Amino acid sequence: MAQERPRYQERPSRLPGAVVWTWDAPDGPPPAPRSVLPDGCMDLIWTGGRIVVAGPDTHAFEVDPENRGSCAAIRLAPGAAPVLLGVPASLLRDHRADLADLWPFPAVRRLTERIEKAPDPAGALERFALDRMAETGPPDPRTVAVAEGLRRGLSVAATAAEAGLGARRLHRHSLAAFGYGPKTLARILRLQRALELIRTGLPYAEAACAAGCTDQAHLSREMRDLGGTTLGTYFAADAGSADANSETPQPSGSSTTA
């Protein structure tokens, strides 16, 4: 018997730091609700004949089963989407918006028609992102430095110094680039780092310390605050799903169809 094709699939994008992903909705009743954890990313999602922009989350986002149809998407690296879209990330914090609400309708219509006719909608969306970034240029090097510093576990002060930004400038820069301040981004990236380590088989306590938490209790609090669940519940659901953290089911990055 042939193995069933995974409903969720992803691959590295040709756009630096981005991931192209697809989700094939199952036949029959919609799947159970699933929460998507914040990850510092923003997604462009083609679904139901429209392009949805998934903004940066500060807490777990529950995908409405009725809105979880098949989709193709690109998950952009932290700080990349505001450059590509021409809007500050803070405008889309904890929000999902139609691209047509952000851009002139004729431009969005041309893009949606192009994707709709493409044999590979995900590839067409990626091509758009590549072409758009060629026009706008890459994110500010300071944006990249901030995200990378915090991802490595540097303190906010050390990250600011490394990026050549003062505390106030770093906060303003972070709001525009990531949607929230550097302390929030640091917490989100630290949680994601811990979850990645746990998936490799590392015990909770060891993963917590390796990711930069003071102890397992600290990691558990962060999981409740940012993810709205416990580590045990989250990984039990993770083990029972073949999907990944797209705004369909699971973790790796952000994404959504709602």
Side-chain angles (χ1 to χ4, degrees), residues 46-97:
W46 163 254
T47 181
R50 63 192 179 116
I51 298 174
V52 175
V53 181
D57 293 321
T58 59
H59 52 75
F61 177 82
E62 187 171 289
V63 183
D64 185 341
E66 297 299 329
N67 289 334
R68 206 195 292 177
S70 295
C71 52
I74 181 167
R75 181 182 310 131
L76 299 162
V83 177
L84 189 148
L85 297 174
V87 296
S90 56
L91 184 67
L92 296 167
R93 182 175 56 239
D94 294 322
H95 186 58
R96 273 66 189 156

Side-chain angles (χ1 to χ4, degrees), residues 5-11 19-25 43 71 73 75 241-255:
R5 177 178 179 270
R7 292 197 178 104
Y8 175 85
Q9 294 187 315
E10 66 175 40
R11 65 169 174 80
V19 172
V20 175
W21 60 269
T22 58
W23 160 255
D24 293 329
D43 296 62
C71 52
R75 181 182 310 131
S241 172
D243 314 306
N245 185 58
S246 56
E247 300 252 334
T248 37
Q250 263 199 115
S252 115
S254 159
S255 24

Side-chain angles (χ1 to χ4, degrees), residues 143-154 159 162 189:
T143 298
V144 178
V146 170
E148 183 55 30
L150 296 176
R151 185 179 286 112
R152 297 199 322 265
L154 294 181
T159 299
E162 192 172 89
L189 295 179

Side-chain angles (χ1 to χ4, degrees), residues 168-254:
R168 290 186 178 180
R169 288 188 62 198
L170 173 61
H171 190 78
R172 290 196 300 270
H173 188 89
S174 294
L175 286 177
F178 311 118
Y180 27 63
K183 289 184 179 180
T184 299
L185 179 61
R187 292 178 65 202
I188 288 170
L189 295 179
R190 183 176 59 200
L191 175 62
Q192 286 291 341
R193 193 161 61 245
L195 297 180
E196 290 171 5
L197 291 171
I198 293 170
R199 290 189 195 99
T200 68
L202 209 61
Y204 290 173
E206 293 181 32
C209 292
C213 294
T214 54
D215 52 25
Q216 183 177 331
H218 182 193
L219 174 59
S220 296
R221 289 194 299 272
E222 291 292 78
M223 188 65 177
R224 286 194 298 271
D225 290 346
L226 296 171
T229 188
T230 65
L231 291 167
T233 300
Y234 177 77
F235 281 104
D238 202 14
S241 172
D243 314 306
N245 185 58
S246 56
E247 300 252 334
T248 37
Q250 263 199 115
S252 115
S254 159

